[in-house]
Every structure is written in structure tokens, then in C-alpha cells.
Amino acid sequence: MDPALRQIAERIREAAAESTTLRVRGAGTKDFYGEPPCGEPLSTAGLRGIVSYEPSELVVTARAGTPLVELEALMAEQGQCLPFEPPRLGQGGGTVGGMVAAGLSGPARASVGAVRDYVLGARLLNGRSELLTFGGQVMKNVAGYDVSRVLAGSLGVLGLITEVSLKVLPVPPAEATLVFDCHQADALRLINGWGGQPLPLNASRWTHEQGRGRLWLRLRGATAAVAAACTHLGGERQDDAQARAEWEAARDLRLPWFDARDGRELWRLSVPQTAPVLPLEEPPLIEWHGAQRWYLVSPGDGERLREAARSAGGHATLFTTVDGASTVTRRFDALSAPLRRIHEALMREFDPHAVFDRARLFPTT
């Protein structure tokens, strides 16, 4: 065990003995996400670097504190990428460990999969200060419970991720972005219709911009397939460089739509792709072929969004608040009783002394 890892392990042992709460922290770019963090920060800054990278095998292993931009720059040199486009938030874009712990994916998520689908293996320091290894560096390496993927979205409540192995893919050879003027209902109808056709759909986005609804559609894949799809679908093709900048802004939540906060809270609704227009007066920003819908609402309107999401078969998350204050009791929807028991059993198994900040996912109030 190297010195940086040994120091972290010792601090976990001390915290367990002293009944001290620790909160895992990488670059701090996602401190806003989930319940407000509490406890003494436990930094992963010392766990930095690429452990191994095999471009021919499409796998990379990196330590938790490695900056995400550093990893992506290395892969770009080989014409490869993380297809799920993790958001790069805040100064520096976050770390590899934070990317997995937050479990957030970008515009292409509905077509290529989520963070957890690309986690091949991980190493974890649990609440007993034991260094555990799960999974490996190939797709078919798990028999039984796939713990390495459960870490995606766990927000550090199970332990401190020290290292992660990820599947990577080549950058597609061709890309095109088409824009269509249409209302929200028409956009959902079009997207669902196109989803049943052999088209190289990669990402979509609908917003109400400058008095009109606009549907952005990104195609990625073989050159011939993208060209044929453009001819078949029509629409207004965008300049490649300009479109790429737009999708980068969408990935990192930097679009003007997100900046128009005006004292409102940002909510993320997860619903079935085929869900109709929700009975909400606020115009949303829709992604993931209809499955992810963002809303800006006044503080105190959250329960109205939650009810709309539940009625459509989904759930709602308070993503960012106004000045860090919240008018609801929890950021995430409450789990059903069976799921809650599973989560609590996992936390007891990995962290029996409650060293790590469980309230990040499960508030005590």
C-alpha cells in the first residue's frame, strides 16, 4: 500500500474508533449534488494517475483523484472516449472517482448507456479500512453481485473509491447535428418514431428558445449511415464546429437555458422515454430521447414536480437549490421499503461503524 493510500486507510480507522463522520471529496465540483455534505472531508487528491491504459483492449484504469480532463486528453490522443459523456462541472471538471460516485451521464446516455455500464472493476476502502477489489478489466468478469457497478451513484456512502477500470470506445468516424422547429409534443412523437428505425441516433435535446420550440438531434456512427440518415430525416443541418460546441455546453450544463435561473431551483425528472408532455406550465429542457426532463421552478414547487413525475412512472431530483437552501425535506425521491432495506443492508455491510456520510443519500429528517 503506497503512502497516500496508507494515510487514508489510517484516517478511516481513526474515524471508526472515534465515531467521526467522514465525507469523501475529490475536486468538490459536485458538493451541491445530493443532500448537503457533512463530516470531515477525506480527500482523494493524493490518489492521482493513470495505472494502465490498453487502447487495443479498450480499457483504462485510473486512480480516483485523477482529473477527468486529464484522462479524456489521454484517450483523445488514441481516438477514444468515454461514450457516456460525464458532465465536467466546476473548476477543472472533477475527478475520475467523483465521476463514478456521482453517476451522472451526458447527452448520449439514452443511446450508449450510463456510467455504471462502463465500470469494469474498482478498488474500495470500506468502513473497516479494508482495501477491497471488485470486478476486473474485461466485460465478463463477474459472478454474483456486481459491486463495482453499484458504486456508480453511491456518493461515497459505501466507502472511498481508490481506483477504477473503465471500458472506453473509439470516437465514431462521422457525426452530424440536425435541428427541427416543433412543439414539445411533436418532438416527443418524432423522437419515439425515429427510435424504432435503424438510425444512428446518439443524442437529442428539445427546448423552447426565442419564442419557438427546437429539437436538436445528433447522429453518430459510420460515415455512410450518418449521411443516409441526414437525407432521410431532413431538418436543418448545423455547422459541425458550432454544433460540437453546443453539445459540449449541454454536457456540462452550460447552455443559456441553465443560466436563466432567476432565483429558481433546478429539478431533473427521470421518466419513461414514451411519457407524454407533463402537465406542467414551465417549458422544460428535454434530453435522452424524452427520458430526462429539466425544469426551473420557484422554491416550494418541488412537490408539484414530484407528483407529475410519479404520475408518468418516474421520479424527480432537486438538482441545485437557490443559494444552497432547500424548501423540501430531501433532494432525492424516497425509496420504496424493499429498496430502502437493500440500501441499508449494503451500507451496514460495507460501513458497519457509519464512518462515511450516509446522510448524503439518506437524510435523517
Side-chain angles (χ1 to χ4, degrees):
M1 188 179 292
D2 66 45
L5 199 56
R6 187 180 303 113
Q7 183 178 7
I8 293 173
E10 180 59 32
R11 184 66 195 102
I12 293 173
R13 279 193 292 269
E14 293 173 355
E18 299 166 356
S19 298
T20 300
T21 299
L22 301 177
R23 59 182 178 97
V24 181
R25 194 172 192 270
T29 60
K30 302 175 188 69
D31 282 350
F32 69 90
Y33 185 57
E35 300 298 330
C38 62
E40 176 189 320
L42 184 61
S43 176
T44 63
L47 305 177
R48 180 170 177 169
I50 307 298
V51 177
S52 65
Y53 179 33
E54 298 293 340
S56 61
E57 299 297 328
L58 300 177
V59 61
V60 63
T61 300
R63 305 185 84 193
T66 305
L68 181 57
V69 292
E70 183 178 304
L71 173 61
E72 291 194 302
L74 175 66
M75 292 187 296
E77 294 175 359
Q78 301 294 328
Q80 297 180 346
C81 66
L82 298 173
F84 54 89
E85 300 179 306
R88 296 158 300 192
L89 306 175
Q91 188 70 28
T95 62
V96 172
M99 172 192 75
V100 175
L104 300 176
S105 302
R109 187 255 185 267
S111 297
V112 304
V115 179
R116 64 175 179 271
D117 301 312
Y118 291 82
V119 177
L120 301 175
R123 302 186 79 189
L124 176 82
L125 274 170
N126 67 6
R128 299 184 180 91
S129 199
E130 299 168 330
L131 185 59
L132 309 178
T133 301
F134 304 100
Q137 294 186 338
V138 296
M139 287 301 295
K140 297 182 178 179
N141 57 27
V142 175
Y145 201 81
D146 194 349
V147 174
S148 56
R149 296 189 183 186
V150 145
L151 296 177
S154 63
L155 288 179
V157 304
L158 300 179
L160 184 144
I161 299 170
T162 67
E163 185 179 296
V164 62
S165 294
L166 300 162
K167 178 178 70 172
V168 303
L169 290 180
V171 175
E175 177 180 315
T177 295
L178 307 176
V179 175
F180 305 81
D181 289 337
C182 57
H183 296 294
Q184 183 182 167
D186 292 330
L188 294 173
R189 176 182 55 80
L190 287 170
I191 281 293
N192 282 299
W194 292 332
Q197 300 178 31
L199 297 168
L201 304 182
N202 178 261
S204 62
R205 181 178 86 248
W206 182 89
T207 53
H208 194 263
E209 306 171 355
Q210 300 176 348
R212 59 176 175 169
R214 306 199 82 196
L215 172 63
W216 292 66
L217 184 70
R218 185 171 66 189
L219 307 168
R220 276 183 176 173
T223 302
V226 170
C230 288
T231 301
H232 172 70
L233 295 172
E236 176 188 350
R237 181 159 182 176
Q238 303 298 294
D239 174 76
D240 288 344
Q242 181 181 353
R244 194 170 297 113
E246 286 276 346
W247 288 112
E248 289 289 304
R251 168 185 177 174
D252 299 336
L253 308 185
R254 292 185 289 103
L255 289 171
W257 189 92
F258 290 103
D259 293 334
R261 296 289 298 277
D262 298 327
R264 293 176 292 177
E265 296 176 336
L266 176 63
W267 284 75
R268 185 184 66 183
L269 275 61
S270 177
V271 297
Q273 290 184 13
T274 54
V277 175
L278 301 181
L280 298 166
E281 59 187 42
E282 296 86 359
L285 185 151
I286 300 176
E287 295 185 296
W288 299 1
H289 307 337
Q292 178 165 266
R293 307 187 189 186
W294 299 93
Y295 284 87
L296 287 168
V297 300
S298 299
D301 284 351
E303 291 308 321
R304 178 167 58 87
L305 269 66
R306 285 208 158 119
E307 180 56 36
R310 282 193 290 266
S311 297
H315 62 271
T317 299
L318 174 55
F319 199 75
T320 57
T321 63
V322 179
D323 298 327
S326 173
T327 57
V328 297
T329 57
R330 59 175 66 239
R331 306 291 180 94
F332 302 110
D333 263 356
L335 296 174
S336 64
L339 283 177
R340 179 77 186 219
R341 286 196 295 271
I342 292 173
H343 278 256
E344 290 175 345
L346 281 171
M347 288 189 293
R348 286 194 302 270
E349 182 65 30
F350 281 88
D351 183 21
H353 307 297
V355 171
F356 297 105
D357 179 16
R358 297 181 181 182
R360 190 77 185 271
L361 278 179
F362 304 104
T364 55
T365 57

